């Protein structure tokens, strides 16, 4: 049955369910007697709440309860938390403004929930929500992170006077932290004494995560024993349970069951704990009835944590032989009105350590100032920090090559890391890789050397053709829980847990603490289990997302499932295999060492004696004739804590054609060569690359969560104005190839693949555009108008 | 959505009657603008009078150099109509460019014209071809019909019954899609009538909605070649400016799309 095992492009088991409408999403869950919650949200970006008048609303038909922030606070409900502590370079802790689930006294972004109306129907709740009278005193708003640091910027949170470590006695009012990584003095010296220095200013545009399924909550409460059940669109049910119980105090952990049924995408936005989960649990307890909330798309725009939003200046120094000497990066990161669950981690440890890229850069210094603005909180979106880092480094190198008149590919090649493990000057230690091999493959596959002929042919058709390169580095699995994770400020561990149950009839259940939300986990995990015993994947079921079934887990984000989830499954399978062999040896009256497994059978090497997996599992449960040193059952659990992150890498080549009359860009060829280590299901992994590249293409060409700077309104607040990539935006030609350099950091040698496409593609696309235009002055999204304007001003200057 | 009463009249006369009696009634055809607005609680009509099923408003015919399209004809029906494809292929092509398949199978020509969204495609064809809008009360020439953003010459309760298009010698529509919404950021319809007159209508770009580009028409009247448009200067001051495109960019697109339309006519 090797066809179903590791390395086979098995069609996804779960797709039959998804494509025939048989999936069960949180919105599909309806409980008897359920009530509906509707949130009254701030129409203002920044305002004092002078008064809230519920008298009219509470008299409306069907209204059961109306909840406020003050009520939750009096009931002992704590604020939403940020789970990663970052310390400023002067030793100050990060400045966390209070984030009550329902606003108290002040609102800090348009869409912030203030009041929750619970009624018998959704329509009744909406009618009553409209009758809630809130009197605001509006305040000046700031949405741009650079403006937020200016001395005259409106102060979004009120902090106590700071200690003397800050200049002028206190931190700039909207500063969250001023953090650094790397050696500032050594980097400055390297740049000062260098032959060549190249500088770039960049904005990494803000994006809306846009999962196909919007967030939803169904909260149920059983008063007889105080037990809660929460159905929720979450990427990490166990972590959510810890946060809701231990930190927010809305339900005790042992009486809170969280079920993530089918989840329709997340891209990071469903990692975090949101107000709506807290409020619906509270409301269910008060009403003694289930409470449901399903986000509308307009609410999703205004409440799902956004991504990116960096403003960066970077400079890189080379010696006279074009070897990199130093890299200095200064970034201002917009974290929105409040700090979301992992907001502080994204522009720090998921960003700065990646700035070494695939290169030997002896000196690196990164300074990051995180700021509050009157915008939706910003947190992880696919790639989370790594796309921002890759964009800085790969655009800077491309610009350097052009400015210095050297070949772009050769400039990279000359500076590649070639020996592993490699300790970067910014924390991470790369375990394995072959960056030269990736680049060589990508250049060959993209016919890089023949580009000039294609450019000339395009010119005859009146098109400007450009080619761009991006060599990205990834860091998957967040961080090891052990020494480093804790020391860097993590509030959580980052291990994973799996349990394998072999049923009495020999079928296998894999229970694992990750949470697939479109990635194909049910197929991938089944292949690993099937591979171990040589059984078909149809004999394997995969269970995720229910805290009553799966005992522990850390969820799915940061491309961590491949490295950590599969490793936990692998370790549990090791235990199962050991016990099964012991039982088989007993049944076959042979020695354990002589037992081999193939095609669902346990054989004694060199003989024709064998028993099936079913024989073994039946014996384990009937337990009629097994010796006393074996326990009944065939069910094992394992935790896996990685010794380090994994470091996938790749080389992307993008080729574009620009219509100079309109400025329209067409991606005519995209070549991706990725090193994800070993690969379980190449088809699924290629699908992840395709999706990731399209995600990056969206950011590079189409998507921008634009705010009106004066009013703080999200102007691009619907898909009429916020442009998602469509099928016709796909590259006309898409080539993908693997290079496999297995990581030594986990048993299967897997590195992770879910984010790579979104990390590597934006600079490849923009570098192709700058190549076509002959100007570096293009920002994302590179809309037709921006390109047309760049051509107009180039024409005027020429 | 607020509560509303839905009516399905059997005739145009009954529809008008129902609307006149309603406290705050609205006609609905494809509903592609009205229903989302109602869902967002930005509109709350007391009554909805559905015109989409009235047989009087259906059908496509071609006779004596005129193509007539019933107001409740869907974009898909126009795009796939043999009669339209044969007589005015540019009109069929335009209908096939509206929105996506779901939109084209529900949205109607009458609804699009009555709504007169500044980014809608049909107004460009109606104005460019010099069509006539027939209502339950009168006939309105295209040049008199579009009066501003989301406003038309239609009176309260007046219903578009059909639209008749004179078959041109040649016509073409070139559309630059707004990336997000797929409406026209700028669309230019160029038609050369049988008597040789050239009409050029621009949608998506005008600050007051669809308009005829008089300077381009003038340039083309001398020489029906795209080169003739090069010398025309489009004044951005009368054009829309929003997050999808500035007036200057739209001014450029007017020329580029007009040239492409002229080239397409050949």
């Amino acid at each position: 049955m090797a066809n179903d095992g590791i390395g086979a492009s098995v069609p996804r088991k779960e797709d039959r369910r998804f494509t025939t409408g048989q999936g069960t999403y949180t919105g599909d869950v309806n409980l008897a007697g359920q009530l509906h919650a509707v949130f009254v949200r701030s129409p203002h970006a920044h305002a004092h709440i002078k008064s809230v008048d519920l008298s009219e609303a509470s008299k409306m038909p069907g209204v059961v309860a109306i909840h406020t922030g003050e009520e939750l606070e009096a009931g002992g409900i704590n604020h939403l938390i940020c789970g990663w502590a970052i310390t400023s370079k002067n030793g100050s802790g990060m400045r966390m403004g209070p984030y009550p689930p329902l606003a108290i006294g002040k609102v800090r972004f348009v869409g912030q929930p203030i009041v929750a109306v619970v009624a018998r129907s959704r329509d009744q709740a909406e009618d009553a929500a409209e009758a809630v009278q809130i009197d605001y005193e509006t305040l000046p708003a700031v949405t741009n992170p650079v403006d937020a640091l200016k001395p005259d910027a409106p102060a979004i949170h009120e902090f106590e006077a700071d200690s003397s470590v800050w200049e002028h006695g206190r931190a700039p009012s909207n500063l969250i932290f001023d953090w650094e990584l790397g050696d500032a003095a050594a980097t400055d010296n390297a740049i000062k004494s260098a032959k060549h220095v190249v500088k770039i200013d960049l904005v990494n545009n803000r994006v809306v995560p846009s999962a196909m399924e919007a967030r939803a909550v169904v909260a149920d409460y059983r008063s007889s024993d105080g037990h809660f059940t929460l159905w929720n669109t979450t990427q990490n049910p166990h972590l959510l349970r810890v946060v809701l119980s231990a930190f927010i105090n809305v339900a005790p952990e042992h009486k809170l069951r969280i079920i993530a049924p089918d989840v329709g995408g997340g891209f990071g936005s469903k990692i975090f704990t949101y107000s709506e989960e807290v409020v619906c649990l509270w409301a269910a307890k008060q009403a003694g009835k289930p409470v449901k909330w399903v986000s509308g798309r307009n609410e999703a725009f205004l409440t799902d944590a956004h991504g990116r939003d960096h403003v960066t200046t970077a400079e890189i120094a080379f010696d006279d032989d074009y070897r990199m000497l130093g890299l200095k990066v200064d970034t201002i990161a917009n974290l929105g009105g409040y700090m979301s669950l992992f907001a502080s981690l994204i522009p720090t440890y998921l960003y700065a350590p990646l700035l070494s890229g695939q290169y030997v850069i002896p000196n690196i210094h990164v300074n990051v100032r995180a700021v509050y603005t009157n915008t939706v909180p910003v947190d992880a979106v696919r790639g989370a920090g790594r796309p921002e880092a890759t964009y800085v480094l790969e655009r800077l190198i491309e610009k350097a090559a052009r400015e210095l008149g050297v070949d772009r590919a050769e400039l990279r090649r000359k500076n590649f890391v070639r020996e592993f493990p490699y300790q970067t000057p910014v924390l991470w230690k790369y375990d394995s890789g072959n960056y030269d091999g990736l680049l060589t493959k990508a250049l060959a596959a993209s016919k890089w050397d023949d580009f000039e002929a294609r450019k000339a042919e395009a010119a005859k058709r009146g098109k400007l053709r450009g080619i761009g390169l991006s060599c990205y580095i990834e860091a998957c699995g967040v961080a090891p829980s052990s020494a480093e994770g804790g020391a860097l400020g993590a509030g959580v561990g980052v291990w994973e847990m799996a349990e394998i149950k072999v049923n009495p009839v020999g079928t296998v259940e894999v229970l694992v603490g990750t949470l697939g939300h479109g990635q194909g986990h049910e197929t991938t995990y089944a292949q690993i289990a099937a591979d171990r015993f040589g059984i078909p994947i149809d004999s394997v079921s995969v269970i995720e997302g229910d805290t009553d079934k799966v005992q522990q887990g850390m969820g799915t984000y940061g491309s961590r499932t491949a490295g950590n989830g599969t490793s936990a499954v692998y370790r549990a399978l090791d235990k199962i295999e050991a016990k099964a062999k012991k039982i088989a040896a007993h049944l076959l009256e042979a020695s354990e060492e002589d037992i081999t497994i193939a095609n669902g059978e346990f054989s004694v090497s060199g003989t024709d004696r064998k028993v099936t997996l079913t024989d073994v599992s039946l014996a384990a449960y009937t337990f009629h004739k097994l010796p006393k040193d074996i326990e009944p059952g065939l069910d094992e659990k394992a935790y896996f804590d990685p010794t380090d992150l994994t470091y996938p890498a790749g080389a992307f080549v993008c080729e574009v054609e620009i219509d100079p009359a309109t400025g329209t860009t067409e991606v005519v060829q995209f070549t991706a060569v990725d090193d994800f280590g070993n690969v379980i299901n190449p088809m699924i992994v290629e699908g992840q690359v395709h999706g990731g590249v399209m995600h990056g293409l969206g950011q590079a060409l189409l998507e921008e969560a634009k705010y009106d700077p004066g009013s703080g309104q999200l102007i691009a607040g619907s898909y009429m104005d916020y442009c998602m990539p469509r099928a016709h935006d796909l590259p006309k030609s898409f080539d993908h190839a693997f290079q496999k350099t297995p990581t030594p950091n986990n048993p299967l040698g897997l590195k992770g693949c879910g984010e790579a496409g979104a990390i590597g593609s934006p600079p490849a696309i923009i570098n192709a555009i700058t190549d076509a235009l002959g100007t570096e002055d293009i920002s994302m999204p590179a809309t037709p108008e921006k390109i047309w304007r760049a051509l107009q001003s180039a024409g005027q200057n020429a | 959505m607020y509560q509303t009463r839905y009516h399905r009249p059997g005739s145009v006369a009954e529809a008008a009657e129902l609307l006149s009696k309603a406290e705050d009634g609205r006609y609905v055809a494809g509903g592609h603008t009205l229903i989302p607005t109602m869902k967002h609680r930005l509109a709350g009509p007391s009554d909805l009078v559905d015109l989409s099923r009235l047989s009087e408003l259906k059908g496509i015919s071609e006779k004596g150099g005129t193509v007539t399209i019933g107001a409740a004809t869907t974009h898909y029906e126009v795009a796939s109509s043999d009669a339209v494809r044969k007589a005015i292929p540019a009109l069929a092509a335009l209908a096939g460019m509206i929105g996506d398949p779901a939109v084209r199978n529900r949205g109607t020509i009458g609804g699009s014209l009555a709504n007169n969204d500044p980014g809608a495609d049909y107004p460009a064809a109606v104005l460019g071809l010099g069509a006539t809008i027939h209502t339950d009360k009168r006939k309105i020439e295209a040049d008199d019909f579009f009066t501003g953003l989301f406003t038309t010459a239609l009176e309260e309760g007046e219903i578009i019954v059909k639209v008749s298009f004179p078959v041109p010698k040649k016509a073409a529509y070139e559309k630059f899609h707004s990336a997000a919404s797929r409406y026209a950021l700028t669309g230019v319809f160029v038609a050369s009538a049988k008597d040789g007159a050239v009409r050029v209508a621009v949608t998506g770009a005008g600050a007051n909605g669809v308009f005829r580009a008089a300077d381009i028409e003038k340039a083309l009247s001398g020489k029906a070649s795209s080169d003739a448009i090069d010398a025309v200067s489009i004044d951005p001051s009368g054009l829309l400016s929003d997050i999808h495109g500035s007036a200057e960019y739209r001014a450029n697109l007017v020329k580029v799309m007009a040239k492409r339309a002229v080239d397409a006519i050949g």
Side-chain angles (χ1 to χ4, degrees):
Chain A
M1 297 307 299
N3 289 347
D4 281 3
I6 291 173
S9 285
V10 184
R12 292 169 27 132
K13 288 170 64 149
E14 50 270 68
D15 285 352
R16 206 170 304 156
R17 182 167 87 249
F18 296 149
T19 56
T20 57
Q22 292 178 57
T24 302
Y25 298 86
T26 301
D28 296 323
V29 174
N30 290 300
L31 305 180
Q34 84 189 358
L35 305 173
H36 297 265
V38 163
F39 291 82
V40 179
R41 301 183 181 280
S42 174
H44 302 296
H46 199 192
H48 287 301
I49 301 170
K50 289 173 72 184
S51 65
V52 177
D53 181 357
L54 306 175
S55 54
E56 280 303 311
S58 55
K59 285 183 268 177
M60 299 282 284
V63 171
V64 174
I66 303 181
H67 303 289
T68 63
E70 285 82 359
E71 177 203 335
L72 266 63
E73 191 152 87
I77 305 301
N78 295 327
H79 294 169
L80 301 178
I81 60 156
C82 178
W84 201 292
I86 294 293
T87 305
S88 284
K89 57 192 177 190
N90 62 16
S92 307
M94 66 183 184
R95 305 201 307 166
M96 279 182 65
Y99 191 180
L102 294 171
I104 299 173
K106 199 177 177 193
V107 284
R108 294 174 174 87
F109 66 92
V110 174
Q112 184 178 354
I114 302 165
V115 167
V117 177
V118 178
R120 292 199 173 83
S121 76
R122 170 103 192 187
D123 284 336
Q124 288 172 327
E126 283 184 3
D127 287 343
E130 238 168 51
V132 170
Q133 299 291 326
I134 302 177
D135 192 12
Y136 300 95
E137 177 197 342
T138 57
L139 299 166
V142 62
T143 58
N144 179 292
V146 177
D147 293 343
L149 280 179
K150 290 179 179 161
D152 59 346
I156 294 167
H157 289 275
E158 296 75 36
F159 295 104
E160 297 290 309
D162 301 290
S163 68
S164 57
V165 295
W166 295 103
E167 211 179 329
H168 310 305
R170 59 185 305 142
S173 47
N174 295 316
L175 185 77
I176 299 170
F177 54 76
D178 183 353
W179 173 90
E180 68 178 344
L181 185 66
D183 189 331
T187 305
D188 284 341
N189 282 336
I191 290 172
K192 213 175 288 172
S193 58
K195 177 87 185 277
H196 309 289
V197 177
V198 177
K199 203 173 163 187
I200 200 164
D201 295 313
L202 295 170
V203 172
N204 202 285
N205 48 324
R206 186 183 181 105
V207 296
V208 175
S210 299
M212 195 180 287
E213 179 204 21
R215 292 188 297 115
V217 179
V218 179
D220 192 21
Y221 179 70
R222 193 168 65 211
S223 61
S224 56
D225 59 352
H227 186 278
F228 294 85
T229 305
L230 178 72
W231 285 263
N232 185 216
T233 47
T234 174
Q235 295 176 221
N236 44 356
H238 296 86
L239 183 58
L240 177 64
R241 188 167 71 146
V242 172
V243 173
L244 288 171
S245 55
F247 294 93
I248 297 177
N249 197 35
V250 67
E253 190 173 15
H254 65 302
K255 293 184 177 182
L256 174 58
R257 176 186 185 186
I258 294 183
I259 301 172
D262 287 325
V263 177
F267 307 116
S269 66
K270 294 171 182 170
I271 299 171
F272 324 118
T273 314
Y274 289 93
S275 297
E276 292 84 2
E277 286 109 67
V278 178
V279 173
C280 288
L281 284 166
W282 171 263
K285 183 178 176 182
Q286 306 314 309
K289 286 186 172 168
V291 174
K292 181 172 186 173
W293 170 77
V294 179
S295 172
R297 186 55 69 179
N298 52 340
E299 280 183 297
F301 269 91
L302 294 176
T303 63
D304 292 1
H306 291 181
R308 320 284 191 251
D309 209 342
H310 284 194
V311 178
T312 294
T313 296
E315 51 188 328
I316 191 165
F318 298 89
D319 68 12
D320 52 7
D321 191 32
Y322 303 110
R323 288 192 192 277
M324 294 172 183
L325 296 174
L327 172 72
K328 190 178 171 69
V329 178
D330 183 34
T331 293
I332 299 174
N334 187 349
L335 298 191
Y338 296 90
M339 293 189 73
S340 176
L341 189 63
F342 288 120
S344 53
L345 170 66
I346 313 309
T348 53
Y349 291 109
L350 290 186
Y351 170 67
L354 278 296
L355 283 158
S356 189
Q358 298 185 356
Y359 312 105
V360 176
I361 311 176
N363 302 287
I364 299 176
H365 181 255
V366 187
N367 199 97
V368 179
R369 284 169 289 169
V371 300
Y372 288 113
T373 62
N374 295 112
T375 62
V376 175
V378 176
D379 207 318
V381 169
R382 197 179 202 166
R386 289 151 290 173
E388 295 91 313
T390 305
Y391 188 64
V392 170
L393 190 59
E394 290 302 299
R395 278 208 63 185
L396 184 54
I397 287 172
E398 196 103 339
K399 186 182 183 206
R402 285 191 200 119
E403 268 188 33
L404 304 176
V406 296
D407 183 87
R408 300 176 260 175
E410 289 313 308
L411 183 63
R412 288 175 166 94
R413 209 186 285 279
K414 187 185 277 281
N415 288 285
F416 277 153
V417 171
R418 288 172 188 277
E419 283 173 26
F420 297 88
Y422 173 73
Q423 176 64 56
T424 71
V426 276
L427 287 177
W428 299 157
K429 187 177 177 182
Y430 302 159
D431 56 61
S432 60
N434 175 4
Y435 305 148
D436 198 88
L438 287 166
L439 179 60
T440 302
K441 268 192 182 183
L443 295 182
S446 66
K447 300 188 175 62
W448 176 274
D449 290 340
D450 305 334
F451 172 71
E452 287 306 322
R454 296 194 293 277
K455 186 183 172 88
E457 186 278 326
K460 281 185 199 158
R461 290 182 279 112
K463 297 288 176 71
L464 302 169
R465 194 157 172 133
I467 194 164
L469 183 57
S470 162
C471 297
Y472 75 84
I473 188 89
E474 237 278 50
C476 297
V478 189
S481 318
S482 46
E484 287 153 287
L488 297 182
V492 294
V494 287
W495 41 262
E496 197 42 81
M497 189 226 76
E499 181 184 355
I500 308 288
K501 290 199 292 185
V502 182
N503 294 321
V505 293
T507 54
V508 178
E509 292 177 36
V510 176
L511 298 97
V512 57
T514 54
L515 196 283
H517 45 288
Q519 293 89 343
H521 289 187
E522 290 173 46
T523 306
T524 303
Y525 283 131
Q527 285 181 259
I528 296 169
D531 192 79
R532 184 65 68 104
F533 301 113
I535 57 175
I537 59 166
D538 276 350
S539 300
V540 184
S541 287
V542 174
I543 296 151
E544 297 177 293
D546 182 340
T547 58
D548 265 13
K549 292 181 182 168
V550 181
Q551 295 307 300
Q552 293 295 343
M554 290 306 301
T556 288
Y557 44 85
S559 303
R560 67 184 304 278
T561 300
N564 300 340
T566 62
S567 301
V569 168
Y570 191 89
R571 292 279 189 245
L573 283 167
D574 285 348
K575 294 184 183 178
I576 290 280
E577 181 183 332
K579 185 169 180 183
K581 278 184 172 170
K582 205 169 184 177
I583 294 169
H586 181 78
L587 297 176
L588 292 163
E589 295 175 341
S591 160
E592 280 170 50
E593 294 78 56
D594 294 335
I595 304 290
T596 57
I597 309 175
N599 300 325
E601 293 170 337
F602 294 70
S603 312
V604 182
S605 301
T607 74
D608 60 357
R609 286 187 294 145
K610 57 189 176 189
V611 288
T612 65
L613 177 60
T614 305
D615 295 331
V616 170
S617 57
L618 205 56
Y621 288 97
T622 54
F623 208 62
H624 292 154
K625 45 188 175 181
L626 293 182
K628 290 257 180 311
D629 65 333
I630 299 177
E631 284 180 20
L634 196 50
D635 176 355
E636 297 286 350
K637 191 165 92 174
Y639 282 81
F640 176 80
D641 188 59
T643 54
D644 203 343
L645 299 104
T646 61
Y647 300 95
F652 289 177
V653 179
C654 176
E655 219 165 307
V656 299
E657 278 189 6
I658 290 169
D659 175 356
T662 61
T664 308
T665 298
E666 186 177 25
V667 177
V668 289
Q669 190 183 316
F670 201 96
T671 307
V673 183
D674 293 292
D675 190 343
F676 299 134
N678 291 329
V679 171
I680 306 290
N681 183 320
M683 180 200 71
I684 286 179
V685 173
E686 284 194 1
Q688 289 286 310
V689 174
H690 292 159
V693 168
M694 281 304 280
H695 206 146
L697 184 149
Q699 188 184 9
L701 299 178
L702 305 166
E703 299 180 45
E704 185 172 27
K706 207 168 194 166
Y707 275 89
D708 177 59
S711 66
Q713 298 290 335
L714 180 63
I715 314 170
S718 82
Y719 293 127
M720 290 294 281
D721 297 310
Y722 185 90
C723 187
M724 292 289 286
R726 291 176 166 88
H728 68 78
D729 296 310
L730 270 166
K732 276 173 87 179
S733 162
F734 205 140
D735 293 326
H736 183 259
F738 291 115
Q739 173 185 277
K740 293 177 185 171
T741 316
T743 174
N745 291 341
N746 59 56
L748 282 162
L750 308 178
K751 294 184 175 180
C753 65
E755 298 165 293
I759 292 168
S761 61
I765 294 166
I766 300 298
N767 286 341
I769 291 172
T770 57
D771 181 55
L773 298 179
T775 170
E776 298 291 336
D777 195 18
I778 284 291
S779 63
M780 298 192 292
T783 58
E785 176 162 1
K786 280 186 192 166
I787 289 172
W788 176 76
R789 284 186 178 277
L791 286 167
Q792 294 303 106
S793 56
Q796 278 158 16
N797 297 337
Chain B
M1 196 183 278
Y2 297 108
Q3 207 166 40
T4 190
R5 274 183 300 274
Y6 172 83
H7 305 272
R8 189 181 292 169
S11 67
V12 170
E14 190 192 345
E17 171 80 10
L18 282 164
L19 195 88
S20 70
K21 285 184 182 160
E23 182 193 336
D24 178 23
R26 294 287 296 273
Y27 294 126
V28 64
H32 275 81
T33 301
L34 182 57
I35 302 296
T37 311
M38 290 172 67
K39 280 178 152 180
H40 283 106
R41 294 186 159 230
L42 298 171
S46 62
D47 296 75
L48 279 184
V49 180
D50 189 351
L51 305 179
S52 69
R53 296 168 193 249
L54 294 174
S55 56
E56 294 162 79
L57 305 184
K58 293 279 195 187
I60 298 171
S61 64
E62 197 264 315
K63 202 168 127 190
T66 301
V67 171
T68 303
I69 300 174
T73 307
T74 64
H75 310 326
Y76 171 77
E77 287 162 345
V78 174
S80 60
S81 155
D82 287 338
V84 181
R85 280 178 167 179
K86 202 169 150 218
I88 318 177
L91 181 61
L94 175 145
M97 275 182 228
I98 301 171
D100 57 25
V103 170
R104 291 195 287 275
N105 278 283
R106 286 292 302 169
T108 67
I109 185 169
S112 171
L113 294 174
N115 189 48
N116 193 20
D117 188 298
D121 297 290
Y122 268 131
V126 166
L127 193 58
L129 288 165
T132 303
I133 288 123
H134 303 255
T135 76
D136 58 342
K137 294 178 179 157
R138 57 182 167 147
K139 285 194 257 183
I140 310 172
E141 294 307 320
D143 284 319
D144 302 324
F145 183 79
F146 304 102
T147 55
L149 299 180
F150 299 103
T151 55
T152 66
L154 290 172
E155 285 164 8
E156 188 65 36
E158 192 171 4
I159 297 171
I160 301 176
V161 175
K162 60 189 179 184
V163 186
S164 56
F165 295 89
V167 175
K169 194 159 69 188
K170 286 182 288 190
Y173 179 60
E174 287 289 327
K175 173 179 183 178
F176 192 87
H177 289 85
S178 177
S181 68
R182 310 301 290 166
Y183 274 92
L185 191 66
T186 294
V188 178
F189 199 101
V190 176
S192 160
K194 293 211 161 126
D195 65 3
V198 176
R199 290 173 70 102
V200 178
V202 178
T203 190
N208 290 311
V210 67
F211 66 92
R212 280 176 70 183
D215 290 349
I216 297 178
E217 288 182 358
K218 205 167 136 194
L220 291 173
S221 66
K223 184 187 169 203
S225 135
S226 61
D227 299 344
I229 296 170
D230 285 334
V232 176
S233 162
I234 304 290
D235 181 6
S237 67
L239 301 185
L240 276 174
S241 215
D242 57 27
I243 59 168
H244 305 297
S246 67
E248 293 76 25
Y249 182 59
R250 282 181 160 99
N252 171 63
L253 289 178
V254 169
K255 278 178 74 170
V256 174
M257 294 299 121
K259 287 181 68 170
R260 287 181 183 176
V262 171
D263 287 339
I265 288 172

